[in-house]
Amino acid sequence: MQRHKILLISLRDPFLDSDRIMPPLGVMSLQAYLMEQHIETDIVNDFKLDDIGRYQMFTHFGISCMTPERKQAYEIVRAIKREYPDKKVIIGGPHANYYTDECREEMFDHIVIGDGEVALKHILSGESNDRIVSYPLTEEEMNALPLPYREPSFLRQYSFNMQGLQASTILTAKGCPMQCKFCEDAGTKVRLYSADYVGRQILQIIRAGYDGVMFFDDIFALSIKRVRELSCEIAKYNIHYRCFGHAKSMTEEMIKLLVDSGCIETGFGSESGSQKILNLINKGTTVEQNMRYVELCNKYGVKVKAFILLGLPGEDKATIKATRDYMKFLMNNRFINRFGRRITNDFDITIYFPYKGTRIRDDIDNGSQEYDLFLACDPDSMNGVYKGKCGASEATISTSSLRRDEIVSIQKELLAEFKPLVVV
């Protein structure tokens, strides 16, 4: 293989309160894999656009990009190509997956769709000269990867606060079997990391000096069989953790397994307090199940963070009232946590952003009249920020009952009522 040196670029998120909370797991996995392949590689998480010369020793640049970061990615590829036209620039990540045509219009040499490990290897070896490169991993291949790069001095730049504990993140799976119409990952193939692979990552995080783990994938607690496997492994390490669950599958047996293995928080997508909305977006849950989820978790001292979306199809004053009532139930439900402190639950309330790749956006683009939802402006001209500083969201939609500005006002009102210290 010809000798190459690649710089992996984790983009900054200036629209967030802090972009030093969640480490770039995708980039960290690429770094570990390339190192195992004896390819010279480095990570930068604060790329100096005004000092391109400092990167002249690299032959390739790999940019991992989410849609709200795309302007940075485009600025970087233009700056590199202006200074070093022969250097190769590669883009991957969710933005490349769903906005491929937009990426084609920029100067990227390669656009990686899906998993990047083998794709990068083939690009660097010259085995793939295609502009669009895709080498999806099987579950077996995924579990044969080296553990993500967690060199302590790099990892310690990031920290997730979890009830006073400093935590770092782990993915236990990729893909989602659910069919929610607002989500780009709906109905994607599920691939699970083995319990042993997860356990070895926990050990990495403990050795880096963290007190806890945030399991970041949406389907951690979707299956009781899977929870049994994971909780048995996690219990070996005597840590506290947060995971995501689903209202349809949460049971007393499941919450006991989670608690016994160290769970102190769960997050879940409740989306709305209106059954009409839940049905329209194909959530597959009921308001009663959402409330039962909260009650079960709180009964065992587990804090819940509910994720709520405003501006979904059919949103009107009645659905907003139902969501407000649900939030009142959520936030008034005080309980004793695992540390003996009396606390309350939490929530994020954002405005639906019609990303490409979602069923709702695709149907709107195809001229469907199925949804009571309208584009109030071109979403592709916006940054794509669904949660920014102090909880603010970019709003691009309206319904037949609520204008775009009214939805923004409602979000601010609900934040002011239930999180009075947050200013948007």
Side-chain angles (χ1 to χ4, degrees), residues 34-46:
L34 294 175
M35 290 173 66
E36 185 180 67
Q37 299 297 313
H38 306 292
I39 296 169
E40 285 193 76
T41 178
D42 200 0
I43 295 178
V44 62
N45 59 7
D46 193 13

Side-chain angles (χ1 to χ4, degrees), residues 411-423:
Q411 185 210 19
K412 290 180 179 180
E413 290 168 5
L414 291 172
L415 278 169
E417 180 174 357
F418 295 104
K419 283 188 180 180
L421 297 181
V422 173
V423 179

Side-chain angles (χ1 to χ4, degrees), residues 286-320:
T286 66
V287 176
E288 289 74 20
Q289 285 174 325
N290 286 344
M291 296 174 75
R292 177 62 175 159
Y293 180 101
V294 174
E295 290 173 338
L296 270 175
C297 290
N298 290 173
K299 176 181 175 182
Y300 288 91
V302 175
K303 180 178 178 178
V304 172
K305 183 164 188 176
F307 293 86
I308 299 166
L309 276 175
L310 297 177
L312 288 164
E315 195 82 270
D316 56 26
K317 291 182 179 179
T319 63
I320 294 295

Side-chain angles (χ1 to χ4, degrees), residues 73-101:
Y74 299 164
E75 289 174 351
I76 289 172
V77 67
R78 292 166 193 166
I80 292 171
K81 288 295 187 179
R82 189 164 52 243
E83 191 73 22
Y84 303 108
D86 295 332
K87 292 185 185 292
K88 304 298 183 183
V89 186
I90 307 154
I91 188 170
H95 183 65
N97 291 351
Y98 300 109
Y99 289 77
T100 309
D101 288 342

Side-chain angles (χ1 to χ4, degrees), residues 204-301:
Q204 279 185 306
I205 286 173
I206 291 171
R207 287 174 174 169
Y210 289 90
D211 305 309
V213 174
M214 155 56 142
F215 293 109
F216 200 55
D217 47 283
D218 292 335
I219 63 170
F220 182 100
L222 194 60
S223 155
I224 187 65
K225 178 177 181 292
R226 177 67 169 167
V227 167
R228 289 191 190 107
E229 293 172 355
L230 289 175
S231 61
C232 182
E233 178 68 25
I234 295 166
K236 299 175 183 177
Y237 299 94
N238 193 30
I239 60 154
H240 295 297
Y241 68 90
R242 171 176 159 180
C243 66
F244 286 91
H246 196 278
K248 197 169 186 176
S249 57
M250 184 58 70
T251 62
E252 194 125 11
E253 178 188 3
M254 183 179 286
I255 192 62
K256 286 179 179 178
L257 285 168
L258 294 174
V259 168
D260 288 346
S261 58
C263 180
I264 60 172
E265 291 187 13
T266 68
F268 85 117
S270 54
E271 319 310 348
S272 175
S274 164
Q275 192 62 50
K276 181 185 85 168
I277 297 286
L278 297 180
N279 292 343
L280 284 169
I281 62 174
N282 200 31
K283 183 65 182 177
T285 55
T286 66
V287 176
E288 289 74 20
Q289 285 174 325
N290 286 344
M291 296 174 75
R292 177 62 175 159
Y293 180 101
V294 174
E295 290 173 338
L296 270 175
C297 290
N298 290 173
K299 176 181 175 182
Y300 288 91

Side-chain angles (χ1 to χ4, degrees), residues 381-394:
S381 69
M382 309 288 280
N383 290 321
V385 177
Y386 67 90
K387 182 187 177 185
K389 291 183 182 297
C390 299
S393 297
E394 284 188 329

Side-chain angles (χ1 to χ4, degrees), residues 395-410:
T396 66
I397 45 82
S398 62
T399 67
S400 60
S401 299
L402 295 172
R403 299 188 311 271
R404 170 189 177 187
D405 63 298
E406 290 178 307
I407 294 170
V408 172
S409 294
I410 289 166

